[in-house]
Amino acid sequence: MTESSSGPAAEQWDAAVAAVRALGGDAEIQLICHVSPDGDALGSMLGFGLGLRRLGYSRVRATFPGDFRVPDPYAEMPGLELLVPEADSFPEPALVLVFDVASESRLGGLAALVEAAPVSVVVDHHASNTGFGTIRLVDPHAAATSVLAEQLITRLGVPLDAEIAECFYVALATDTGSFKFDMTTVAVHELAARLIATGLRPGDISRRIFDTKPFGAMKLAGEVLGRAVLDPAAAGGLGLVWTYATLADLARHAQPPYVLDTLIDPVRSVAEADVTVLVKEIADGQWAVSLRSKGAVDVSRLAISQGGGGHRLAAGFTGHGAAGDVVDTVRRLLDDYLT
Ligand code: AMP
Ligand code: MN
Ligand code: MN
């Protein structure tokens, strides 16, 4: 089976549809998305979960590993009633579906559940996807996992309604940077149009998920941006801009970690650098490293070499040591990449 630019193979779609249709209405279906879920992870999973409920499946649970906190921007997403903490997942579900997960390392303790499931459907759009799961709906050319989730729900015969559409719209808007990134194709706008046609109010949704933050998050952003360093000679002269945020920074402003999720966007707007790095402390000496490129560097290759993953222009990995050491590692990886 190949995963070409035309998307998942027909037999994979057919197998996914058959896996759902084979289940009785009271079968236990477990949905999982990645740790520290973003709009695409939650939106794809919950939109699909609502679709299963519309089909009459009564026992659908959704979860993600680690800290069980839904970021405030998604606190009004439809389908949140399907969410349970990791520990309350079905222990032996008949079917598992995994959304927006590039590798099993992003599943934490839930990797074993996926491994043990009789059937696991992986719905994802990361080029770095490692190939786990028994049925694979993986298309690196999809702008968001929700593009694939919407196709599967449609193939199952569920009409879009406003709740399902809001989930998929949040996912699509998140992963396209509000319809700005390269993958924002005609098909993406056509999908957005079909979603909006259910009665969505894009302005309200955008305000809620992108343009609302607590005062403390704004002050924290000011500090983190204020300490950014520009290194024009790095990456063979392509330029590197980087900054970091510690757990102490979060504590000082009484903010949860997810407020840092989008902070790389103002940093990567710096004209003098192709590559952007944001290093976020997640535990003592452990850092979530976000990488972005404007096009000259395939940052997913750097991330994969460090055990992480992602897309060509947006990727990440877990780093160790001091923040400066992590950035030095990235600088060295860039030198190796370019020689
Ligand atoms: P972020 O910088 O967290 O917004 O992530 C950018 C992209 O890199 C997303 O597609 C993530 O799925 C991917 N990514 C980030 N961190 C990791 C990691 N530790 N392992 C695998 N993929 C990651
Ligand atoms: Mn994601
Ligand atoms: Mn995604």
Side-chain angles (χ1 to χ4, degrees), residues 34 38 100 102-103 105-106 125-126 128 175 261 264 280 289-292 307-311 314-318:
H34 65 72
D38 52 25
D100 204 39
S103 68
S105 65
R106 305 274 283 163
H125 69 134
H126 290 91
S128 65
D175 266 28
D261 285 356
I264 197 155
K280 299 169 278 189
V289 185
S290 289
L291 303 172
R292 300 290 186 272
H311 312 279
F317 67 91
T318 302

Side-chain angles (χ1 to χ4, degrees), residues 11 59 73 82 122 124 154 201 226 231 259 272 293 303:
E11 62 263 29
R59 310 186 72 189
L82 302 176
V122 171
D124 186 42
T154 299
R201 298 176 61 89
D231 184 350
V259 302
E272 294 90 336
S293 167

